[in-house]
Amino acid sequence: MRQARVLTDPEYKRLLAVVAQRKHAARDRMALILSHLAGLRVGEIAGLILRDVLEANGDVREQLRVRASIAKGGHERVVFLSERLRREIVRYHDTIPGLTERPTDAPLLLTQKRTPFSPNTLCQLMGQLYRAAGLDGASSHSGRRWFITQLAHSGVSPKVIMTLAGHRNLTTTQRYIDVRDDMMRAAVELL
């Protein structure tokens, strides 16, 4: 089976520009950002509730705990939120009317019918977003692969990447790392 495409920086910017023109732009952007900047699986994103990302006073958490009930294999893990991701969550929080009035166990993302996303429905939505941006081969797993690839090419320890991704085996993590010609060219130029 072919792996999900990992976006280049210009493709990622184009995707976000296309999403900005949509009716549910804030929600769609948040779903993609959680995939790309936290490396979350689509089922984990669909299962997030407000208290996973927001403190009781409305401040954005510095880390979120992926609950066992939404994690693949039922293995809970901690995901640290970068400053960039935390700013995006604030942006989302400020854009969605009534978000702070919802119960803390309310879903972070809602469908247009105001119901929680299922993993399958969110997967389909992400596929639509990638297609709308003309990104053939991209899927709901593209953001997760981008996250892992970016960390790997930034010199982050494989064990740290494996832990952040919630993988049990390093070989699983290694399969996610994308290698392109420009990366190989830059690598040999280090010599």
Side-chain angles (χ1 to χ4, degrees), residues 32-188:
L32 291 168
I33 293 288
L34 286 164
S35 176
H36 281 81
L37 298 185
L40 296 178
R41 296 174 177 97
V42 71
E44 295 167 343
I45 297 168
L48 287 176
I49 57 176
L50 291 175
R51 76 169 156 253
D52 290 333
V53 297
L54 300 175
E55 300 284 357
N57 66 1
D59 290 344
V60 177
R61 293 183 180 275
E62 291 186 13
Q63 62 187 38
L64 70 87
R65 188 166 305 281
V66 177
R67 291 171 278 113
S69 61
I70 64 171
K72 184 175 181 180
H75 300 286
E76 185 176 287
R77 75 178 190 282
V78 172
V79 175
F80 291 85
L81 305 179
S82 68
E83 194 57 41
R84 182 176 169 193
L85 177 52
R86 293 177 77 231
R87 282 192 308 269
E88 288 287 345
I89 294 170
V90 168
R91 177 182 177 167
Y92 176 71
H93 179 273
D94 293 346
T95 304
I96 303 299
L99 190 65
T100 52
E101 285 80 44
R102 292 188 204 162
T104 60
D105 62 347
L108 178 66
L109 303 175
L110 293 173
T111 67
Q112 62 186 11
K113 294 181 181 179
R114 315 280 305 149
T115 60
F117 275 97
S118 70
N120 185 49
T121 306
L122 187 56
C123 182
Q124 290 176 24
L125 172 65
M126 286 181 158
Q128 291 170 3
L129 298 174
Y130 286 115
R131 282 190 299 281
L135 299 168
D136 295 332
S139 74
S140 62
H141 229 56
S142 292
R144 186 166 164 78
R145 287 199 67 221
W146 183 90
F147 173 81
I148 292 169
T149 297
Q150 291 295 110
L151 292 175
H153 291 289
S154 297
V156 175
S157 160
K159 180 73 171 170
V160 171
I161 298 170
M162 181 183 91
T163 304
L164 287 170
H167 290 149
R168 293 283 182 233
N169 297 301
L170 188 55
T171 55
T172 304
T173 305
Q174 290 171 324
R175 286 195 304 260
Y176 277 70
I177 300 170
D178 186 47
V179 177
R180 296 186 312 265
D181 288 349
D182 61 323
M183 294 171 180
M184 291 187 290
R185 189 174 301 108
V188 298

